[in-house]
Amino acid sequence: MSIGHTLWAQDATGLAGLVRKGEVSPIELAEAAIARAEATRPDINATAEPLYEAARARAKTIDRSLPLAGVPFAIKDLGIAIKGVPTHGGSRIPAWLADVNSVLTDRYLAAGLVPIVTSTSPEHGLRLMTESKAFGITRNPWNTGHTSGGSSGGAAALVAAGVVPVAHASDGGGSIRVPSACTGLVGLKTSRGRIPLTPLVSESWYGMVVDHAVTRSVRDSALLLDLTHGPDPLSPYAAPPPKGTFTAAAARDPGKLKLAVYRKSPLGLPVSLETLKALDTAVALAREGGHAVEEIDLPFIGRDFIADFCRTVASAVAGTMRAEALRVGRSVAGDIERATRVLGRLGEMVSAGETYAGLQRLHATSRRLIEETARYDAVLMPIIAHPPLACGAMDPKGADELIENLLDKLHLTSLLKLKPLFGQLMDKSLWFTHWPAIQNVSGQPSIALPVHVTDAGLPLGIQAAGRPGDEETLLSLAAQMEKISGWLGRRAPLMVP
């Protein structure tokens, strides 16, 4: 079997095992990953910065006893620092060159991973399709006419195309789970405070952003979480520690769980039959695993909740644009895309008092959600309302222009006048995916699982949301469903040898 085929066939845990046995060397894996990155680059366009020479140098000297020694890896071009590597954030704003590693980067290196590239992101992670003026369109390896999702779409495309078996990703409103749902991968959105974001920031988007990974297997997600979780001295707070290891949780039978299924769109927007079919498949897998599944409604999770989330994100974007202008020493309005500019302008028009009031409403609803679902071990729900969209299908041109023109005429910072604009922005931005922001607000963990392939041959995953701090139950359930479904050996047709 060729090294390239081995890279394609194995998950990260499997590759690390081969390295430890001496059956494959880290440099062989690095060269195979670099070759595949270049071979697939025209098709998927998922690389922001190649790191080939650094990868080769690292692979030649790496300690093979490390738990993921020699495993090729990708790091998202957003929110995480790699010393000496430009970070673009998917934007035409001049890149930032870090002079330190993020804590998470150091933990990846300590685990033995070998970063091959940084992966593409939409501008500042603000879209759920990875398309930007800076880098172009990132495409889905299952069908390159369709999106790989966003904002960790580059990470998902690289894993699904067989370039790397696992890749760093982040999630502030579904950005791990949406790409996973689009590309047939496992994507764990961790509990708030599980993995530190330091030293760049203490928290991002008022604590709604978390970092972890997209992976081919549940066991890889669990192992990587074991190797990267836990606070550092700069962390403002930490998720409750696990009872054991996440790897052990993924390896054990979950027992008989009590699960719920939530089907309703919080936005009251249409949900495709394929999405409902995927959810039914997940329910059937759970019942085959011996679990009780109960239909529920969450009437307090509605348009007002999502609108508060959107206003909160807008205020964060406005603050980020101020920080970027300070960093480069001038206005960045001419560098950023219209969609980013519109969201930032809306954020500037929301008063500090309204931002605080909106956060308090979000926290109150989160407490109610956690209380009312505490009797369930997990809640199954969709991630995307429609199968992976055609590339360019969410091009904001037109709607953004209309909103920006309205903003030019709007002189009063009246929330009453802003509400219709936020409603337009919300429906335009989130009609593809209605659910993931719920867990970003509540801080709960949620895992995306591949369960379904549409008639058009595109993956469509669902998610299971858990109790705060309880990734162990989710990983145990997910591993069981992965085994029952037989999904583990499936690969995107783009790269089948």
Side-chain angles (χ1 to χ4, degrees), residues 287-310:
R287 286 184 170 141
E288 188 176 344
H291 310 301
V293 184
E294 177 183 328
E295 300 273 345
I296 64 168
D297 189 14
L298 302 170
F300 48 90
I301 303 290
R303 289 183 66 84
D304 288 345
F305 177 88
I306 302 297
D308 276 333
F309 166 77
C310 289

Side-chain angles (χ1 to χ4, degrees), residues 166-454:
V166 58
H168 161 256
S170 58
D171 192 316
S175 291
I176 287 175
R177 290 159 291 161
V178 171
S180 297
C182 290
T183 57
L185 301 178
V186 175
L188 175 61
K189 180 262 171 204
T190 54
S191 297
R192 184 172 298 156
R194 178 65 69 202
I195 293 174
L197 305 183
T198 48
L200 298 188
V201 294
S202 298
E203 63 176 18
S204 181
W205 287 11
Y206 306 95
M208 291 189 287
V209 173
V210 300
D211 281 45
H212 187 41
V214 290
T215 64
R216 286 187 196 150
S217 66
V218 175
R219 71 175 185 174
D220 276 1
S221 188
L223 175 57
L224 194 62
L225 191 55
D226 275 327
L227 297 170
T228 56
H229 82 93
D232 87 318
L234 298 178
S235 300
Y237 45 74
K243 297 175 183 176
T245 68
F246 296 112
T247 300
R252 66 172 175 254
D253 188 286
K256 291 188 176 182
L257 303 178
K258 186 173 183 179
L259 307 177
V261 58
Y262 171 60
R263 299 176 182 274
K264 183 179 176 182
S265 163
L267 288 169
L269 296 176
V271 179
S272 71
L273 292 178
E274 288 278 18
T275 291
L276 296 176
K277 188 185 295 186
L279 190 58
D280 286 340
T281 299
V283 170
L285 290 170
R287 286 184 170 141
E288 188 176 344
H291 310 301
V293 184
E294 177 183 328
E295 300 273 345
I296 64 168
D297 189 14
L298 302 170
F300 48 90
I301 303 290
R303 289 183 66 84
D304 288 345
F305 177 88
I306 302 297
D308 276 333
F309 166 77
C310 289
R311 282 190 289 269
T312 301
V313 170
S315 75
V317 173
T320 299
M321 293 306 103
R322 288 187 178 210
E324 287 291 83
L326 187 64
R327 176 177 68 83
V328 300
R330 59 170 173 80
S331 169
V332 296
D335 299 287
I336 59 178
E337 298 171 27
R338 188 190 293 271
T340 306
R341 189 166 62 245
V342 165
L343 195 58
R345 288 186 65 185
L346 286 166
E348 291 286 0
M349 298 179 80
V350 177
S351 71
E354 175 53 28
T355 298
Y356 182 80
L359 281 167
Q360 293 301 98
R361 290 191 295 269
L362 290 172
H363 293 163
T365 304
S366 296
R367 292 192 295 273
R368 182 176 177 187
L369 172 68
I370 291 166
E371 287 174 350
E372 295 198 14
T373 59
R375 63 185 181 277
Y376 301 108
D377 295 294
V379 180
L380 303 172
M381 64 182 74
I383 299 170
I384 52 178
H386 307 277
L389 301 176
C391 293
M394 286 187 74
D395 187 342
K397 185 178 180 182
D400 283 335
E401 186 174 3
L402 172 65
I403 293 174
E404 188 160 42
N405 287 338
L406 287 170
L407 285 172
D408 287 338
K409 298 172 185 176
L410 190 63
H411 301 294
L412 299 176
T413 57
S414 164
L415 181 62
L416 208 57
K417 291 187 177 183
L418 286 176
K419 276 187 175 180
L421 298 184
F422 271 107
Q424 290 181 52
L425 189 69
M426 182 168 67
D427 288 352
K428 176 180 67 70
S429 302
L430 297 178
W431 66 270
F432 178 41
T433 175
H434 311 171
W435 300 269
I438 297 170
Q439 290 77 39
N440 293 96
V441 172
S442 69
Q444 294 169 272
S446 187
I447 191 165
L449 295 172
V451 294
H452 178 64
V453 176
T454 70

